[in-house]
């Protein structure tokens, strides 16, 4: 289903004028496709899956994919905003603080990334992206000052939580340095795995 959702969204977008704008459309199509899968499998509503209010979802879909009818998403324009816990709110605030003020979609991506980071897989997989490099590009584009601080290529979720711990004034771990840590790969190991499209091509069922 992910592939069908993605194809429909890409077909229903405005023509893009540059590579960065085209990438944003791709990233949103990935996120909305994952969210739609979760919606159809009964795991979450579109609001719950994206972290966006119904009002923001309607605005973003209409702006980015005007050729796709809102009924494609079973969107309720009058629906409530999603409930968020403290952890998600803290991450959202961190992302928003570093959002590029010149890019109108950055606040939307702040909500989306904060919500999808609460999932269990690698963040790039949680967002439905094709590979980790796309997540790095997304973060560098929309949250440049935050992303540029990840000079050692730490796993993105681990990096976010390290930054949040620094804000709160305590350390994420007790190791004297990353090189001396017995669990080094937990923070810096490869974030490998298959994208949803790859899983579909390999015949593996993706239930949300």
């Amino acid at each position: 289903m992910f592939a069908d959702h993605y194809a429909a969204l890409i077909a229903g977008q405005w023509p893009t004028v540059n590579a960065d704008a085209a990438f944003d459309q791709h990233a949103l199509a990935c996120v909305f496709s994952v969210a739609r899968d979760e919606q159809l499998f009964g795991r979450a509503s579109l609001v719950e899956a994206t972290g966006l209010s119904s009002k923001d979802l309607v605005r973003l879909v209409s702006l980015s994919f005007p050729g796709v009818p809102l009924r494609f998403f079973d969107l309720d324009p009058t629906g409530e905003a999603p409930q968020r816990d403290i952890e998600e709110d803290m991450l959202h605030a961190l992302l928003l603080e570093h959002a590029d003020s010149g890019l109108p979609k950055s606040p939307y991506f702040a909500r989306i990334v904060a919500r999808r980071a609460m999932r269990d897989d690698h963040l790039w997989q949680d967002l439905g992206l094709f590979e980790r490099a796309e997540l790095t590009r997304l973060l560098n584009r929309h949250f440049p000052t935050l992303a540029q601080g990840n000079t050692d290529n730490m796993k993105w979720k681990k990096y976010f939580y390290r930054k949040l711990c620094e804000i709160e004034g305590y350390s994420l771990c007790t190791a004297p340095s990353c090189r001396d840590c017995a669990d080094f790969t937990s923070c810096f190991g490869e974030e490998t795995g298959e994208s949803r499209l790859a899983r579909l091509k390999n015949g593996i069922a993706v239930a949300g």
Side-chain angles (χ1 to χ4, degrees):
M1 277 190 257
F2 177 93
D4 293 335
H5 303 328
Y6 180 84
L9 287 164
I10 292 300
Q13 66 180 329
W14 283 120
T16 51
V17 296
N18 59 58
D20 286 333
F23 176 74
D24 283 352
Q25 296 295 91
H26 159 71
L28 285 173
C30 288
V31 169
F32 287 150
S33 297
V34 168
R36 181 62 172 147
D37 272 3
E38 291 186 3
Q39 183 184 42
L40 291 175
F41 279 100
R43 291 185 56 193
S45 68
L46 206 69
V47 164
E48 292 167 339
T50 61
L52 297 169
S53 68
S54 293
K55 183 178 179 180
D56 282 342
L57 277 168
V58 170
R59 184 184 300 116
L60 192 53
V61 169
S62 299
L63 175 67
S64 301
F65 308 103
V68 178
L70 292 178
R71 65 177 180 274
F72 176 83
F73 293 102
D74 296 330
L75 267 175
D76 177 9
T78 64
E80 298 292 329
Q83 293 185 344
R84 306 177 180 97
D85 60 22
I86 295 175
E87 185 178 327
E88 183 179 345
D89 276 341
M90 289 176 64
L91 179 53
H92 172 250
L94 175 66
L95 290 163
L96 202 58
E97 179 184 352
H98 293 274
D100 189 325
S101 60
L103 298 176
K105 290 180 180 176
S106 293
Y108 294 110
F109 277 116
R111 278 290 181 205
I112 291 168
V113 171
R115 173 52 57 104
R116 299 308 297 179
M118 300 299 107
R119 295 296 197 268
D120 296 329
D121 288 330
H122 297 310
L123 183 52
W124 68 269
Q125 293 172 317
D126 293 328
L127 290 164
L129 299 173
F130 292 2
E131 59 183 354
R132 185 182 188 271
E134 290 188 336
L135 172 59
T136 300
R137 179 178 177 180
L138 179 71
L139 297 175
N140 274 300
R141 172 164 163 75
H142 288 279
F143 315 102
T145 55
L146 178 62
Q148 289 162 13
N150 190 8
T151 55
D152 294 323
N153 201 30
M154 178 180 277
K155 292 180 180 180
W156 284 110
K157 284 186 183 180
K158 292 285 188 180
Y159 174 69
F160 290 157
Y161 287 111
R162 169 172 282 190
K163 298 301 291 185
L164 291 175
C165 287
E166 290 175 357
I167 292 172
E168 292 299 307
Y170 61 89
S171 175
L172 183 65
C173 64
T174 58
S177 70
C178 288
R179 290 184 179 181
D180 296 327
C181 180
D183 199 23
F184 181 89
T185 57
S186 175
C187 292
F188 294 94
E190 291 186 10
E191 294 187 75
T192 56
E194 289 186 313
S195 68
R196 291 190 173 233
L197 282 178
R199 292 181 192 178
L200 290 169
K201 288 178 181 178
N202 291 333
I204 300 174
V206 181

